[in-house]
């Protein structure tokens, strides 16, 4: 029966996938999705055909008696299905809970323990069933004559399991490499886009105009304005090569950026932003993520002295989120001034860093954006 084991365990993933798909809730009308039905039918056909071939190879004399062949075929089918499902579900379960790319040592130990344990259990149960069908006591299961009946299938199972788990490791490693490459590309695009926005002629032109007025009216404040403008550009240059920055650094940068904007807009912009340092310390964000939101608020909304644009930034340490709220006062933008890609690019960057989504949209008379905060 070792031949049965060697052939039947070579493709556990297909039957496992079909079995999992079969357990999913049916769609409206009581039918499984077409892809799930096809996977299930394909897996069943593979098992039936393989079991038939194994039965013929393992016991050719059974072809002379339908009753003996039926018993042989039934036993082979149960044996193959048990090992197939056991190893297939082990791979799927371990892939969901213990990825090779996160804890490879622990994953290897769990692979050997769970896979071998499940295979040994199937081998013992099937051999016990065979003894019962032959009218022999189960106590003979651990006798010397059953030694090779237990050891040989186990050895074959170990070889096949190692192949199966090595294949799973390779696919996870390849997927992680692809994701890392995509993240690097997306991050590079986002960095260049952020840098382009910061050195945008409009931003620099507005800042220099405000500085010109300050030099004539308030030289002391003009000096501070120059220092804050220098901090803004220095932060952009220092952070453009980083994937994450401390939230405290991003907030300090945001204060410098808002100082420049408030100097230009004066009382037309009202900002509420204050956080205890202890709550900010553990968290990180993608560089310039908060600045993008602040820039969008000022770019897309009108601001007047008599009716100021209100902007509020709040931190929820328990939920690990940073929320930016602003009153909605949409203004008409010149063609090409805004492509609407800022939030989409930021959401794409977050998708590679965390499972928590970037949430944004109108909320009454406000527009709200919630940034997930990361802990490393």
């Amino acid at each position: 029966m070792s031949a049965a084991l060697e052939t039947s365990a070579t493709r556990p993933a297909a039957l496992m996938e079909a079995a999992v798909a079969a357990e999913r809730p049916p769609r409206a009308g009581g039918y499984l999705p077409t892809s799930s039905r096809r996977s299930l039918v394909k897996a069943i056909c593979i098992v039936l055909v393989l079991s038939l071939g194994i039965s013929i190879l393992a016991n050719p004399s059974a072809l002379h008696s339908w009753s003996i062949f039926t018993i042989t075929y039934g036993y082979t089918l149960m044996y193959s299905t048990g090992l197939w499902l056991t190893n297939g579900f082990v791979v799927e379960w371990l892939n969901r809970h213990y990825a090779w790319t996160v804890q490879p040592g622990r994953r290897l130990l769990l692979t050997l323990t769970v896979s071998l344990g499940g295979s040994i259990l199937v081998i013992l149960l099937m051999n016990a069933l065979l003894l019962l069908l032959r009218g022999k006591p189960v106590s003979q299961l651990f006798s010397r004559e059953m030694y090779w009946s237990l050891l040989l299938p186990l050895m074959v199972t170990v070889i096949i399991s190692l192949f199966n788990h090595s294949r799973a490791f390779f696919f996870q490693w390849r997927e992680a490499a692809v994701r890392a490459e995509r993240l690097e590309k997306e991050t590079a695009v986002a960095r260049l886009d952020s840098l382009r926005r910061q050195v945008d002629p409009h931003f620099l032109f507005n800042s220099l105009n405000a500085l010109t007025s300050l030099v004539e009216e308030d030289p002391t404040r003009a000096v501070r304005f120059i220092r804050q403008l220098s901090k803004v550009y220095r932060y952009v240059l220092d952070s453009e090569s980083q994937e994450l920055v401390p939230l405290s650094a991003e907030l300090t940068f945001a204060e410098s950026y808002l100082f420049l904007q408030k100097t230009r807009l004066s009382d037309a912009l009202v900002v509420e932003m204050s956080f205890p340092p202890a709550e900010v310390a553990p968290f990180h964000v993608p560089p310039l993520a908060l600045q993008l939101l602040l820039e969008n608020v000022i770019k897309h909304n009108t601001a007047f002295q008599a009716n100021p644009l209100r902007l509020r930034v709040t931190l929820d340490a328990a939920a690990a989120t940073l929320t930016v709220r602003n009153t909605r006062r949409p203004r008409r933008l010149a063609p090409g001034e805004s492509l609407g890609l800022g939030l989409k690019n930021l959401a794409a960057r977050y998708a590679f860093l965390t499972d928590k989504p970037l949430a944004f949209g109108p909320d009454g008379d406000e527009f709200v954006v919630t940034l997930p905060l990361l802990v490393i």
Side-chain angles (χ1 to χ4, degrees), residues 72-83:
T72 302
Y73 181 71
Y75 176 78
T76 303
L77 181 62
M78 289 187 293
Y79 207 111
S80 302
T81 303
L83 288 173

Side-chain angles (χ1 to χ4, degrees), residues 18-154:
V20 172
E23 293 177 359
R24 293 174 184 157
R27 292 186 177 181
Y31 294 99
L32 287 172
T34 302
S35 59
S36 299
R37 293 200 303 270
R38 289 176 178 174
S39 298
L40 180 60
V41 171
K42 181 180 179 180
I44 291 175
C45 291
I46 291 174
V47 173
L48 292 175
V49 173
L50 284 178
S51 298
L52 178 62
I54 294 169
S55 298
I56 296 174
L57 293 174
N59 190 8
S61 60
L63 294 174
H64 301 291
S65 173
W66 280 107
S67 59
I68 296 177
F69 180 77
T70 301
I71 295 174
T72 302
Y73 181 71
Y75 176 78
T76 303
L77 181 62
M78 289 187 293
Y79 207 111
S80 302
T81 303
L83 288 173
W84 196 331
L85 289 174
T86 299
N87 286 278
F89 276 115
V90 165
V91 172
E92 180 67 15
W93 183 83
L94 289 175
N95 285 343
R96 288 198 306 266
H97 295 84
Y98 303 96
W100 282 106
T101 54
V102 178
Q103 295 178 313
R106 186 176 183 181
R107 169 61 192 268
L108 178 60
L109 181 62
L110 287 172
T111 294
L112 295 176
T113 303
V114 179
S115 181
L116 288 180
S119 298
I120 290 173
L121 181 61
V122 171
I123 293 171
L124 290 175
L125 289 176
M126 295 309 301
N127 279 277
L129 178 61
L130 182 60
L131 289 174
L132 292 176
L133 291 176
R134 293 176 177 176
K136 297 181 179 180
V138 180
S139 58
Q140 291 187 8
L141 189 62
F142 301 100
S143 60
R144 293 180 61 88
E145 54 267 23
M146 294 293 295
Y147 180 78
W148 282 107
S149 297
L150 298 175
L151 184 59
L152 188 58
L154 181 60

Side-chain angles (χ1 to χ4, degrees), residues 151-191:
L151 184 59
L152 188 58
L154 181 60
M155 292 172 60
V156 176
T157 301
V158 169
I159 296 173
I160 296 172
S161 296
L162 288 176
F163 167 78
N164 197 31
H165 290 288
S166 298
R167 179 174 175 271
F169 167 77
F170 170 76
F171 282 122
Q172 284 200 8
W173 172 82
R174 186 177 65 176
E175 181 181 356
V178 171
R179 286 175 59 86
E181 184 178 351
R182 291 177 60 190
L183 174 59
E184 183 177 355
K185 181 179 179 180
E186 290 283 345
T187 303
V189 171
R191 287 171 184 159

